[in-house]
Amino acid sequence: MSGSPNGSVGRRTFVLGTAAAAGSAALAGPLAGTASAAGFGWSDNGSEYVVDTGASLVFKVSRTNGDLTSLVYRGTEYQGYGGKNSHVESGLGTSTVGIAQSGTTILISVTYGTLKHYYAARSGENNVYVWTDKADTSVSATRYIVRVRAGLFLNDEPDSYTYAPTVIESADVFAKSDGQTRAKHYSKLRVMDYDYIGWTTGGVGLWIVRSNHEKASGGPFYRSLLRHQSADGGGLYEILYYGENQTESERFGLQGPYVIAFTDGGSPSSSLHPGTLTTSWADSLGISGYVSASGRGRVAGVGITGRNTAYAYTVGLANSAAQYWGSARSSDGWFSIAGVLPGSYTLTVFKGELAVYTTSVTVTAGGTTTLNTIAIPSSNDPSNASAIWRIGDWTGSPGGFKNADLMTYAHPSDVRAAAWTGNVVIGSGTETSAFPCYLWKDVNSGIIVYFKLTAAQAAAAHTLRIGVTTAYANGRPQVVVNDTWTSAVPSPPTQPSTRSLTVGSYRGNNHTFTYSVPASAWLTDTGAYNTLKIYVASGSGTTSYLSAGTSVDAIDLLA
């Protein structure tokens, strides 16, 4: 049986029956309908379901395991490299696969144990809408990969290693002959920074438009795999849960839709973007875990006071089941976060990437939770503390420090990186740009900060603060003042246990180390420079850039 016999569809109504469902799960009830566009429909070739979108896209899905086996756009096959299909994780095993059509929508369902996966096509669109519902840990399914044939989209982006043949770390970080580094980890983007990822030739574009990531983990500033390109082809990812430098537990439930979109070379339509995409057409398809717009709520805030207007502020919502975020308006801090699943959430206000305020909110289906003006207490922002000197500012990221921007898309050994060593003089005007964003036990431990104190300042004890954003192998700072006073080795804060600093991510758990330096540690000669030496202490890690290390947020000496 077929929805489009001989490749065409008339005005024919049908109900998916047992012949089409043999060896697969048939969808029933609301998915019986009418096809409405010439060319739109589906057929069964015995091993695959073949879907013609009625536009320029025809795709195939395996009836055995739910793999996407073919993506033909304008007559060119884009799917496949290395003999692999596009699929959940590295491919599911034998699954129950079904197909049905409801008017202008075709839905393919894949069931593998407790996991349910879906592909949908809409008449006249060059898009494949995808959902993945992971219920528990019984199935290893943390990503969907669109595998693209080699030679169709040539590039040399940071996350491409086509032209970087030398392995320099863990078989997934590479170096080119010119010393530049490449890895699939190097996306350069936080989740909140992009709506889609992909490639274009100028005449054809192939993209994955991400979902709203409500069932992903890590929050708005998380950096994840997005794509890669190697000699045998390319991969586009929608990551459902990524373990590298992850700060949260895995969430379960329906993720999506995310969209595989073909264009005439331009960006995918804004109507497909997360926060804009509407899928009322999917409300009655019977997708497991699907919640329509009417079953969701909204959180809105009339404003935020106590902000530092030099920085962007983000408002996040999170609980164990879902996460959301939105930008606060620069003029007054107004924000609105829509499409939220009902429940109780922790609301966090971020200055840059630093949490400066938290509260609790409850969201109800169809309702708007309106918050009065949020007032951030002055003490919640460490930048408001009076300091004798400060390197960087408290933003929750190493932005502005030496090599900070490069490290989101390159390895620390990259030829473009400035020397990781070098000392800093307070008052030089280059304190922040001269201080390295990362410190490692085996690379640049012992960085020296030179500074002068007035007689009154030298006569008093002071608190030294060092803020960090993540750490590798329990790296944490120990300080020595004027070679006479040495701090205790602080206890390591909770941080992700995976690689971080070498895979383009500084986003861990922000933590502030404080050191009470006695007056006796300071030089009494006001014309002399005091020295602060910052070492990385840890018994873990290996060598070089995989030795114990940490990322710096800010350093200051309080008045």
Side-chain angles (χ1 to χ4, degrees):
M1 181 176 178
S2 164
S4 69
N6 302 318
S8 65
V9 173
R11 300 291 298 176
R12 184 164 81 88
T13 302
F14 73 97
V15 177
L16 180 67
T18 55
S24 64
L27 302 177
L31 285 179
T34 304
S36 60
F40 176 70
W42 65 272
S43 60
D44 180 354
N45 67 13
S47 60
E48 300 157 312
Y49 290 121
V50 182
V51 177
D52 189 331
T53 65
S56 300
L57 175 64
V58 177
F59 66 91
K60 300 177 182 178
V61 174
S62 168
R63 287 185 50 181
T64 300
N65 57 19
D67 281 5
L68 186 65
T69 59
S70 176
L71 275 171
V72 175
Y73 179 66
R74 293 183 186 168
T76 298
E77 177 66 76
Y78 284 83
Q79 200 298 124
Y81 71 78
K84 298 179 180 179
N85 296 322
S86 300
H87 42 217
V88 175
E89 198 59 26
S90 296
L92 303 175
T94 300
S95 305
T96 302
V97 184
I99 189 169
Q101 182 173 335
S102 176
T104 56
T105 301
I106 294 171
L107 183 72
I108 296 175
S109 67
V110 182
T111 301
Y112 179 77
T114 61
L115 181 136
K116 297 182 185 299
H117 184 69
Y118 303 90
Y119 303 93
R122 298 276 290 158
S123 177
E125 297 185 11
N126 292 312
N127 306 316
V128 183
Y129 297 85
V130 190
W131 288 264
T132 305
D133 182 17
K134 183 180 179 183
D136 50 45
T137 60
S138 64
V139 178
S140 177
T142 60
R143 62 186 179 180
Y144 189 88
I145 309 175
V146 178
R147 301 188 187 273
V148 184
R149 290 172 53 206
L152 296 173
F153 300 102
L154 296 177
N155 66 55
D156 190 21
E157 297 298 320
D159 51 8
S160 167
Y161 44 93
T162 301
Y163 307 110
T166 304
V167 177
I168 60 173
E169 183 180 302
S170 299
D172 60 6
V173 182
F174 303 83
K176 295 173 58 178
S177 59
D178 63 3
Q180 291 192 15
T181 53
R182 299 286 187 267
K184 61 184 179 181
H185 307 285
Y186 297 152
S187 65
K188 199 177 181 178
L189 300 173
R190 305 170 301 178
V191 174
M192 67 178 293
D193 295 331
Y194 75 97
D195 292 328
Y196 54 87
I197 193 74
W199 299 293
T200 179
T201 64
V204 174
L206 173 55
W207 317 93
I208 277 192
V209 186
R210 72 166 174 85
S211 70
N212 66 356
H213 276 219
E214 69 181 3
K215 294 296 184 178
S217 299
F221 315 121
Y222 189 67
R223 297 175 190 272
S224 183
L225 288 186
L226 299 183
R227 66 183 179 184
H228 75 270
Q229 194 165 21
S230 57
D232 58 352
L236 298 178
Y237 294 83
E238 169 73 341
I239 297 292
L240 311 179
Y241 179 78
Y242 189 48
E244 292 281 9
N245 211 33
Q246 180 59 255
T247 59
E248 294 185 306
S249 298
E250 184 174 5
R251 293 182 171 94
F252 300 103
L254 184 68
Q255 180 92 341
Y258 45 102
V259 187
I260 304 168
F262 282 91
T263 71
D264 291 336
S267 301
S269 169
S270 60
S271 64
L272 298 177
H273 295 184
T276 304
L277 176 63
T278 58
T279 56
S280 57
W281 51 266
D283 289 357
S284 60
L285 297 184
I287 294 172
S288 173
Y290 182 91
V291 178
S292 67
S294 62
R296 297 169 177 270
R298 184 170 74 101
V299 176
V302 298
I304 303 172
T305 61
R307 293 174 299 120
N308 182 334
T309 56
Y311 297 101
Y313 282 69
T314 301
V315 179
L317 301 175
N319 61 21
S320 61
Q323 61 170 7
Y324 307 90
W325 56 82
S327 297
R329 192 161 61 192
S330 60
S331 60
D332 56 8
W334 176 91
F335 64 90
S336 177
I337 305 172
V340 181
L341 292 172
S344 296
Y345 294 86
T346 296
L347 180 150
T348 304
V349 178
F350 297 92
K351 168 199 171 186
E353 299 184 16
L354 183 68
V356 292
Y357 181 87
T358 60
T359 190
S360 297
V361 296
T362 299
V363 179
T364 58
T368 296
T369 301
T370 303
L371 303 178
N372 294 325
T373 298
I374 293 174
I376 301 173
S378 177
S379 59
N380 283 20
D381 185 346
S383 297
N384 292 330
S386 178
I388 297 171
W389 54 259
R390 177 170 293 142
I391 303 174
D393 200 1
W394 296 87
T395 63
S397 80
F401 283 84
K402 182 165 63 173
N403 294 328
D405 181 62
L406 179 66
M407 287 303 95
T408 64
Y409 62 94
H411 190 268
S413 65
D414 195 288
V415 68
R416 293 167 291 179
W420 288 103
T421 54
N423 301 320
V424 174
V425 179
I426 300 298
S428 64
T430 60
E431 296 92 337
T432 302
S433 61
F435 198 99
C437 63
Y438 298 162
L439 299 173
W440 290 273
K441 186 175 182 179
D442 203 33
V443 175
N444 56 356
S445 184
I447 288 281
I448 303 174
V449 178
Y450 294 92
F451 60 97
K452 293 181 179 180
L453 296 175
T454 66
Q457 292 167 343
H462 297 285
T463 297
L464 173 74
R465 303 187 301 184
I466 301 179
V468 302
T469 68
T470 196
Y472 177 69
N474 286 330
R476 65 267 197 198
Q478 181 182 27
V479 301
V480 176
V481 176
N482 291 321
D483 293 326
T484 60
W485 182 86
T486 303
S487 73
V489 177
S491 298
T494 300
Q495 296 289 4
S497 60
T498 63
R499 286 179 298 164
S500 53
L501 309 181
T502 61
V503 292
S505 177
Y506 58 76
R507 175 76 274 127
N509 293 311
N510 290 106
H511 181 81
T512 301
F513 295 94
T514 60
Y515 310 83
S516 298
V517 185
S520 59
W522 311 123
L523 299 180
T524 57
D525 181 356
T526 58
Y529 280 103
N530 290 268
T531 61
L532 169 68
K533 295 181 180 179
I534 304 175
Y535 294 91
V536 177
S538 176
S540 304
T542 56
T543 60
S544 188
Y545 299 108
L546 289 177
S547 63
T550 191
S551 171
V552 181
D553 180 11
I555 305 171
D556 57 20
L557 185 66
L558 299 186

